[in-house]
Structure formats: C-alpha cells, structure tokens
Amino acid sequence: MARRKLVYEGKAKILYEGTEPGTLIQYFKDDATAFNAEKKAVIEGKGVLNNRLSEYFMVGLQAIGVPTHFIKRINMREQLIRQVEIIPLEVIVRNYAAGTMAKRLGMEEGTALPRPIVEFSYKDDSLGDPLVPEEYIAAFGWATQQEMDDIVSLALRVNDFMSGVMYGVGIKLIDFKIEVGRVWDNEYPRLILADEISPDSCRLWDIETGRKLDKDVFRRDLGDLADAYTEVAKRLGVLPTNVTHNPTKPTLIN
Ligand code: CDP
C-alpha cells in the first residue's frame, strides 16, 4: 500500500489522510495509557476490539438518528471517518458516581446520581484535561452557548442509547466520555459525534457481580484488560474472528 500521510498521532489512535477530501482514516493502536500517560502498556488486541466496538456503537447511534463521524470500517484496525473540527472539550456523562467525581465529592463509587450529569473538561493533556464551567467555554470561544446546549442534548441521547444497549447485555453504564466535532454544510455549522466510543472511554460494570469491564482494569491493576474488553464484545456479539487473545467460540459478524 502507498504510504499515507499521517495527520495526527494520539495516545490510542492515529489519524491518516482519508481516501477522499473531507475524510480521515482512524487507526486503533494497542497502546493503553492512564493518568495522563504516566502509566503505559501495549495490550495485544485492544485496538481491534475498540475498532469493532466503536463501529458497533456509532452504527447503532446513526440508526436512531444521532449524527456521527463514522463512515465505514476498512479493516481490523481502521475505519473511515468524516473530518471534523474537533471542539476542544471532553464531554462526560455520568449516571453513577465514580472516578474523579467520587473523589471530588467524597462519594462512594457506584452511588446512583439523581439524574444523568453532563460535564465539560478542556481537552489539554498538559493541563490534565481540567473541568471547566460553561462560562469559560463561551468566553474563550471553544463553543457557543447554542452549541453547548446541542452538545448536552447529543450527549444525553448517546447516554440513553448506550445505557439501553449495555443494560441488554447485563452491564451498567456508569459514565463515559465523548468528543464532538463541527462540520460545515454550506455555511452552516453542525455538530456530530466524533472520536470513539469504547471501553477505553466508558465505565462499564457487570450488573450481577460488579466486575469492571473497562479501562479501570488497567488503571487499577484489576486483571487482564483484553479479557474485559473481549467480554464486552462477546456479549454484544461483535467479537472479531482472529483476535489472538482468548478467542473462545468467536462469532462471525460481517
Ligand atoms: O477517568 P478519570 O477518573 O480520570 O476521570 P473521570 O472524570 O471520572 O472520567 C469519567 C469518564 O470519562 C470515564 O469513563 C473515563 O474513562 C472517561 N474519560 C476519558 O475517556 N478520557 C478522559 N480524558 C477523561 C475521562
């Protein structure tokens, strides 16, 4: 294959120039990082699993009318996506207290919240993605007030979909992070879901046992991360056939 132009390399993914203008190829690496890349490892098969899982969620979201950047999966590790102007925010939706929220408010992890809570962090690794109020976002011009309202609506739709899909396979969606991008239709900006949705960016707990099936397994040394992601993929019926890791009775999904 001809060498492709690298557009951006992040911690878990690489973006290459796409096949047509306005598209990019998103490559999922096996690299796992936590605590702002202080902890690093290569988890064989993680990229393949996340490529499949993100495809599965994005296709499902599109089917219920949520616009996403996903165009098609190209191969085991790559998908074609629409190029967007990334809004520099990490949009976090929480259904149960966990992680930084539990710490900040002294809450026990797993405590149900009165309603889903959407919060914004400024996307900047060197600052550790600090939590920011809407006032900052508007003042610094990262997004308009209208865009923030649209982002909250989008995030809550993603939450309803993801919570339902996960509940159907015995998993509780504790929280997750999404990123949103701007696309231009003629002169009008429109927001679409970008980046990925995978166990790297969600907290997923088994409803029966409380077993963690997400990146906390890596962050907190709770076992084998690929096993946990494989379990999620298996339950959803999206296990790729030739993942070398623990491939017990794989199901072929085209
Ligand atoms: O994960 P951590 O405790 O640092 O932060 P959090 O604010 O409690 O994270 C909430 C959710 O967003 C978790 O599911 C994280 O995995 C996800 N997240 C992410 O994917 N990327 C970030 N930079 C921050 C949070």
Side-chain angles (χ1 to χ4, degrees):
M1 202 189 343
R3 263 189 90 76
R4 288 176 308 197
K5 194 173 158 213
L6 188 138
V7 175
Y8 176 80
E9 176 153 8
K11 288 174 286 193
K13 297 186 295 290
I14 306 174
L15 295 176
Y16 296 100
E17 216 166 52
T19 44
E20 304 162 45
T23 67
L24 294 171
I25 291 166
Q26 180 164 250
Y27 175 99
F28 287 78
K29 301 196 276 189
D30 280 344
D31 301 27
T33 62
F35 312 118
N36 212 359
E38 271 169 40
K39 180 170 178 173
K40 286 187 205 167
V42 174
I43 314 279
E44 194 190 330
K46 179 175 86 80
V48 175
L49 287 160
N50 281 353
N51 186 25
R52 282 290 187 140
L53 284 165
S54 199
E55 172 193 15
Y56 180 79
F57 299 132
M58 296 261 176
V59 167
L61 282 161
Q62 274 168 0
I64 62 159
V66 176
T68 86
H69 73 165
F70 181 84
I71 301 173
K72 65 172 183 182
R73 186 168 54 78
I74 299 171
N75 57 41
M76 297 280 284
R77 287 187 181 271
E78 294 178 327
Q79 46 184 249
L80 188 68
I81 58 170
R82 223 180 134 174
Q83 188 162 26
V84 300
E85 252 175 56
I86 279 283
I87 308 240
L89 298 172
E90 312 239 315
V91 182
I92 292 168
V93 183
R94 302 179 185 274
N95 297 305
Y96 299 85
T100 51
M101 179 195 222
K103 209 175 286 166
R104 196 180 301 126
L105 301 181
M107 292 170 85
E108 193 180 334
E109 288 208 307
T111 309
L113 300 175
R115 60 183 172 82
I117 294 176
V118 182
E119 66 183 43
F120 300 107
S121 295
Y122 179 52
K123 203 170 133 59
D124 186 326
D125 282 341
S126 65
L127 300 173
D129 301 332
L131 185 68
V132 285
E134 293 197 5
E135 184 77 8
Y136 288 24
I137 299 169
F140 292 119
W142 298 327
T144 64
Q145 188 58 54
Q146 177 64 55
E147 282 177 327
M148 280 184 266
D149 295 346
D150 292 348
I151 291 171
V152 169
S153 306
L154 183 85
L156 291 174
R157 292 189 73 192
V158 173
N159 186 43
D160 283 345
F161 174 83
M162 290 296 295
S163 296
V165 167
M166 289 302 172
Y167 180 76
V169 295
I171 294 173
K172 205 167 7 179
L173 179 64
I174 303 295
D175 59 28
F176 64 95
K177 183 243 355 181
I178 55 169
E179 292 181 27
V180 175
R182 216 179 265 124
V183 290
W184 294 85
D185 286 335
N186 300 316
E187 275 149 57
Y188 296 101
R190 200 161 62 80
L191 297 176
I192 68 176
L193 181 64
D195 191 49
E196 72 179 298
I197 302 186
S198 76
D200 267 5
S201 51
C202 299
R203 284 197 170 92
L204 304 169
W205 295 6
D206 181 78
I207 289 176
E208 294 284 313
T209 64
R211 177 184 167 199
K212 292 183 172 55
L213 298 167
D214 56 60
K215 208 164 89 176
D216 276 347
V217 171
F218 172 70
R219 291 189 190 99
R220 304 178 187 186
D221 296 320
L222 300 176
D224 188 311
L225 189 71
D227 274 352
Y229 288 20
T230 301
E231 177 65 23
V232 176
K234 254 192 210 170
R235 290 194 196 186
L236 294 169
V238 294
L239 193 67
T241 47
N242 52 347
V243 174
T244 49
H245 200 90
N246 194 22
T248 45
K249 293 199 180 148
T251 318
L252 178 62
I253 302 285
N254 287 318

